[in-house]
Amino acid sequence: MQQGHPRRKQLSRANHEMIKHKRYIFVKKILDGMVKGVVAVGEAYGRAMRNFFNTSEMIPLKDKTEIKDIYSEMHNPKGLIQVVPPKFNQ
């Protein structure tokens, strides 16, 4: 006498294989994302190092007086009225 549906074993095995497949695809996507992240960090590091060494070979700027003038104007403004405190000992 037959016990249960004849395709029950086949359907159960197919369901189990689909569950394993979904887990495999999930883990594969996570690992692919991690690998892509590591590769992206490596590329960014490589670009930063190339840019760093390429800028060190450049000729340094000769005109640095402009920065000093802007700095001195910022701390000694010419256009503002300077308040002189009164002298009490005369």
Side-chain angles (χ1 to χ4, degrees), residues 86-90:
K87 295 181 181 178
F88 296 108
N89 299 340
Q90 288 186 4

Side-chain angles (χ1 to χ4, degrees), residues 55-83:
T55 54
S56 64
E57 294 173 2
M58 291 175 60
I59 300 170
L61 295 174
K62 295 178 182 177
D63 219 11
K64 292 187 178 179
T65 57
E66 185 179 350
I67 296 172
K68 189 174 182 181
D69 292 337
I70 292 172
Y71 180 80
S72 62
E73 287 179 6
M74 196 166 62
H75 289 284
N76 296 323
K78 297 177 183 174
L80 297 175
I81 300 172
Q82 294 182 353
V83 178

Side-chain angles (χ1 to χ4, degrees), residues 1-86:
M1 197 166 158
Q2 186 175 353
Q3 298 291 324
H5 197 276
R7 292 193 58 209
R8 181 174 185 273
K9 188 174 181 182
Q10 182 184 2
L11 292 174
S12 176
R13 180 173 289 154
N15 189 24
H16 179 69
E17 287 178 4
M18 185 55 73
I19 290 171
K20 285 174 48 177
H21 175 71
K22 286 182 180 180
R23 286 180 187 162
Y24 168 74
I25 294 298
F26 178 71
V27 171
K28 183 180 175 187
K29 286 182 179 181
I30 288 177
L31 290 176
D32 287 345
M34 291 171 65
V35 168
K36 286 180 183 178
V38 170
V39 168
V41 168
E43 287 179 0
Y45 180 75
R47 286 182 191 147
M49 287 290 101
R50 279 196 305 273
N51 290 338
F52 175 74
F53 288 118
N54 287 342
T55 54
S56 64
E57 294 173 2
M58 291 175 60
I59 300 170
L61 295 174
K62 295 178 182 177
D63 219 11
K64 292 187 178 179
T65 57
E66 185 179 350
I67 296 172
K68 189 174 182 181
D69 292 337
I70 292 172
Y71 180 80
S72 62
E73 287 179 6
M74 196 166 62
H75 289 284
N76 296 323
K78 297 177 183 174
L80 297 175
I81 300 172
Q82 294 182 353
V83 178
V84 179

